[in-house]
Amino acid sequence: MKPQNIYIGFTTIILFLFSCRQGSEKELPVMNSIQLENSILSLTKEATNLNVPWDLQYDRINDAILFSEIGGAIRRLDIKSKQVLLIDSIPDVYQQRTLGLLGMALYQPENEQAYLYLSYTSKKDSSIFSNLYRYNYNPTGRLSNPVQLLQIPGNTGHNGSRIVISPDKKVYWATGDAATDTYAQDSTSLNGKILRLNLDGSIPKDNPIANSYVYAWGFRNMQGLTYSTEGILYTSEHGDAIEDEINLILPLKNYGWPLIEGMIDTEKEKAKVKTLAIEEPIKSWTPVVAPAGLAYYGSDVIPEWKKSLLLTTLKNQSLRILSLSDDGHRIIDEQVLFQDQLGRLRSVITLPNGDIYFCSSNRDWNPQKGFPKQEDDVIYRLRVSEKTHAPILHPQSVDTQPAAKDGHALYEAYCTSCHKSDGEGLTNTFPPLAKSNTVNGDEKALLQIILHGVQEKNMESIKYEGAMPGFSFLTDAEIITIANYIRTNFGNNAGKIESSSLTSLR
Ligand code: HEC
């Protein structure tokens, strides 16, 4: 190389370093373009190698994404440089399966103390708790001054939870029913509720029940909570075997769990609501999708999505765009993106500039086939772009119901999320159906399990942690098709069951 060229090369490096120091935006390779009616969006990976990020918040002062990880870390992703910093670790988080550091909300007013609200599980002796904490959030350094605002019963599942702060400075906390059937309908219990607090944790004077945090009740396990620019509060909630829900939250309303599942559509449920006022969800899914994070999109930047709810799902592994009616009271359309491509998706937020950030949850307790990938977990960004990059994706209309005779489709819709596509289950959590004595054995015993579910049966000397919900809402033909599918797949080779075997078991 001639001395002159060395000089030019050197200057280029200096200029390059200088431009990085200026904090200019680091552009990352576009993974996909998403073609909407008119807009084009680009999908990029903004942060990789994370460990189950659970909630994302926008820190407008640092122009950063603040996120929690289930193990107890709070980290910050700088939007321009893409650097990820550890802010703090919460000491007494109890992490196991779905438990740990979960929802959070950042309250960042002009010229006043900023607060970070956290929801996490803790354990003392053999008791599990869900906690709501408030920390001072110091933009440059660690968290300080923790105040425990509430502590309620927790359990090995159904601990919720998300937090939002409304423009009128109230904290809403969506609590789980702690897998205890009596809590959600008991207005004196704080589980299975939307709770409403002042910023300091006290009970607001204008709460619907005097001297009570309870704002609305009848919930099972909410994993999404968002406040629209029009001031409407929405939740997403996990059903049992059926009826995952989106609810529009109003004060003093009862959302039905466990008396009513999803829509009021069975004879039993219709009889119940004659004596009890129950609010129906604005959307329900059967087969379930395991709805998680929820964010309202109100920006003009992506006009096709203006006035919609963005929902990440764990099952079906997708980002869903739920378009709302003008008054925000109904969901009028549903579109699906990324189904099964990025894995389980946990949380989503929209930024004031119209960008969307969402994250995967592939290193959690229930990874799906082919995941985690090496770079998991990932925070992704969707942003409007000028030009397309291959491969180009189009949002899909929703998946149709599987046909009653299609064993594979029925198994995928109702059983795969736990027992997995290959029937191998998940060690100590979901039993394998491959070479299972129950599956290959007595017909009636097997049909009983599929119809009515099973819990804490010690199988082959393993105690499985989860419970299996009942599937009696399926038709006889569907149940028989599924039973015969599992008896003749995964290396099983048992005789076919006739539908007459089912008649006496309903
Ligand atoms: C939410 C998770 C989940 C789903 C969905 C689910 N199961 Fe299960 N299943 C379980 C768990 C957990 C057990 C073990 C329960 C126990 O004994 O404690 C189980 C047990 C079983 C057993 C008994 C296995 C044995 O070896 O004894 C069969 C059979 C079975 N499930 C079939 C199905 C079929 C068919 C479907 C779909 C219609 C299904 N399951 C859906 C969680 C699930």
Side-chain angles (χ1 to χ4, degrees):
M1 209 187 263
K2 282 193 234 157
Q4 202 184 351
N5 287 357
I6 292 174
Y7 178 73
I8 291 169
F10 192 63
T11 329
T12 318
I13 291 170
I14 296 285
L15 281 174
F16 173 73
L17 288 176
F18 188 71
S19 64
C20 289
R21 291 286 289 279
Q22 290 287 301
S24 70
E25 181 123 359
K26 189 173 156 196
E27 282 306 332
L28 296 171
V30 175
M31 295 171 62
N32 287 115
S33 288
I34 292 94
Q35 177 72 63
L36 306 182
E37 206 175 320
N38 296 307
S39 317
I40 303 161
L41 312 181
S42 60
L43 177 73
T44 46
K45 286 181 189 169
E46 299 294 298
T48 55
N49 296 303
L50 309 175
N51 197 7
V52 195
W54 215 93
D55 210 337
L56 311 174
Q57 295 284 297
Y58 177 56
D59 172 347
R60 62 178 177 80
I61 290 170
N62 292 293
D63 195 25
I65 305 293
L66 194 68
F67 61 97
S68 59
E69 285 179 319
I70 199 166
I74 308 275
R75 295 182 202 275
R76 196 162 68 197
L77 160 66
D78 186 89
I79 287 184
K80 289 203 179 70
S81 71
K82 321 293 179 200
Q83 259 188 0
V84 174
L85 266 184
L86 177 68
I87 297 288
D88 219 325
S89 292
I90 308 302
D92 56 334
V93 168
Y94 175 58
Q95 211 284 300
Q96 189 226 33
R97 270 164 56 93
T98 60
L99 285 58
L101 174 55
L102 307 175
M104 65 179 191
L106 179 60
Y107 172 70
Q108 215 172 21
E110 296 285 344
N111 310 321
E112 271 175 61
Q113 178 63 51
Y115 296 125
L116 186 63
Y117 292 83
L118 300 176
S119 166
Y120 64 87
T121 32
S122 64
K123 192 176 181 191
K124 189 158 191 283
D125 304 322
S126 61
S127 301
I128 297 171
F129 299 98
S130 283
N131 302 276
L132 181 67
Y133 267 87
R134 187 187 85 178
Y135 278 77
N136 285 10
Y137 180 65
N138 171 2
T140 52
R142 290 161 71 96
L143 304 177
S144 62
N145 197 21
V147 184
Q148 188 188 55
L149 303 183
L150 283 175
Q151 183 174 64
I152 63 171
N155 205 335
T156 51
H158 299 200
N159 295 298
S161 69
R162 298 275 178 191
I163 310 164
V164 293
I165 298 167
S166 59
D168 67 340
K169 302 186 185 181
K170 297 291 179 278
V171 181
Y172 291 85
W173 189 28
T175 65
D177 74 354
T180 306
D181 271 352
T182 51
Y183 284 157
Q185 290 296 318
D186 175 355
S187 64
T188 65
S189 151
L190 299 185
N191 285 90
K193 303 291 178 322
I194 300 282
L195 306 177
R196 184 172 182 263
L197 300 82
N198 288 317
L199 292 176
D200 64 1
S202 59
I203 299 174
K205 291 221 160 44
D206 58 349
N207 263 13
I209 305 174
N211 298 317
S212 166
Y213 294 107
V214 174
Y215 186 72
W217 69 88
F219 302 101
R220 182 175 178 272
N221 195 24
M222 291 171 280
Q223 298 247 313
L225 182 67
T226 189
Y227 207 83
S228 78
T229 20
E230 285 80 20
I232 300 180
L233 192 62
Y234 300 93
T235 63
S236 73
E237 183 177 2
H238 284 202
D240 197 5
I242 50 169
E243 306 246 38
D244 282 342
E245 300 179 358
I246 301 286
N247 284 300
L248 187 161
I249 304 302
L250 295 168
L252 267 191
K253 296 281 182 192
N254 181 351
Y255 291 80
W257 178 260
L259 304 172
I260 312 282
E261 290 187 70
M263 298 298 176
I264 303 163
D265 48 9
T266 67
E267 289 312 313
K268 217 169 114 195
E269 290 176 337
K270 285 178 192 157
K272 194 108 256 142
V273 297
K274 287 192 177 138
T275 53
L276 187 70
I278 298 287
E279 199 65 14
E280 268 194 329
I282 59 169
K283 168 91 194 156
S284 90
W285 286 270
T286 305
V288 290
V289 296
L294 193 62
Y296 180 77
Y297 196 86
S299 166
D300 290 318
V301 174
I302 309 174
E304 293 90 335
W305 290 359
K306 189 172 175 172
K307 258 189 156 310
S308 61
L309 293 169
L310 307 179
L311 173 74
T312 48
T313 75
L314 300 165
K315 213 189 134 187
N316 281 14
Q317 311 181 98
S318 55
L319 178 72
R320 290 177 184 236
I321 298 92
L322 311 171
S323 314
L324 290 161
S325 57
D326 275 343
D327 62 4
H329 288 203
R330 284 176 307 118
I331 288 171
I332 52 176
D333 187 40
E334 177 180 13
Q335 301 256 303
V336 182
L337 261 174
F338 312 127
Q339 184 148 347
D340 297 331
Q341 291 173 16
L342 309 175
R344 289 158 69 77
L345 300 180
R346 176 71 68 180
S347 185
V348 54
I349 52 166
T350 58
L351 267 49
N353 70 356
D355 285 357
I356 297 161
Y357 283 76
F358 63 100
C359 61
S360 70
S361 186
N362 290 319
R363 294 197 183 273
D364 70 12
W365 66 289
N366 193 14
Q368 299 300 298
K369 200 174 174 199
F371 292 97
K373 303 247 191 266
Q374 207 187 347
E375 287 196 314
D376 277 321
D377 282 314
V378 178
I379 294 180
Y380 296 94
R381 185 188 71 193
L382 278 172
R383 170 178 282 184
V384 166
S385 153
E386 300 283 296
K387 56 176 193 285
T388 54
H389 298 75
I392 298 169
L393 302 176
H394 300 266
Q396 306 289 311
S397 300
V398 282
D399 16 334
T400 45
Q401 296 288 327
K405 291 230 154 55
D406 186 344
H408 176 73
L410 286 165
Y411 181 83
E412 287 294 320
Y414 296 106
C415 320
T416 297
S417 57
C418 298
H419 296 290
K420 311 297 168 201
S421 290
D422 57 6
E424 291 295 339
L426 188 68
T427 313
N428 294 333
T429 304
F430 303 122
L433 302 182
K435 303 182 192 75
S436 144
N437 291 335
T438 316
V439 174
N440 291 291
D442 180 64
E443 298 183 354
K444 292 215 159 144
L446 173 61
L447 293 174
Q448 280 282 9
I449 288 180
I450 301 177
L451 272 176
H452 304 298
V454 53
Q455 190 168 6
E456 292 183 4
K457 175 176 114 162
N458 286 309
M459 275 179 298
E460 327 266 328
S461 73
I462 299 170
K463 192 179 166 302
Y464 288 97
E465 283 189 57
M468 163 148 162
F471 288 85
S472 58
F473 61 91
L474 294 175
T475 63
D476 285 7
E478 288 168 330
I479 300 239
I480 296 293
T481 308
I482 294 181
N484 285 329
Y485 179 80
I486 62 176
R487 276 162 81 88
T488 52
N489 277 281
F490 323 131
N492 297 336
N493 201 1
K496 287 224 170 179
I497 302 178
E498 298 302 323
S499 45
S500 53
S501 311
L502 198 61
T503 328
S504 58
L505 302 174
R506 283 268 181 198

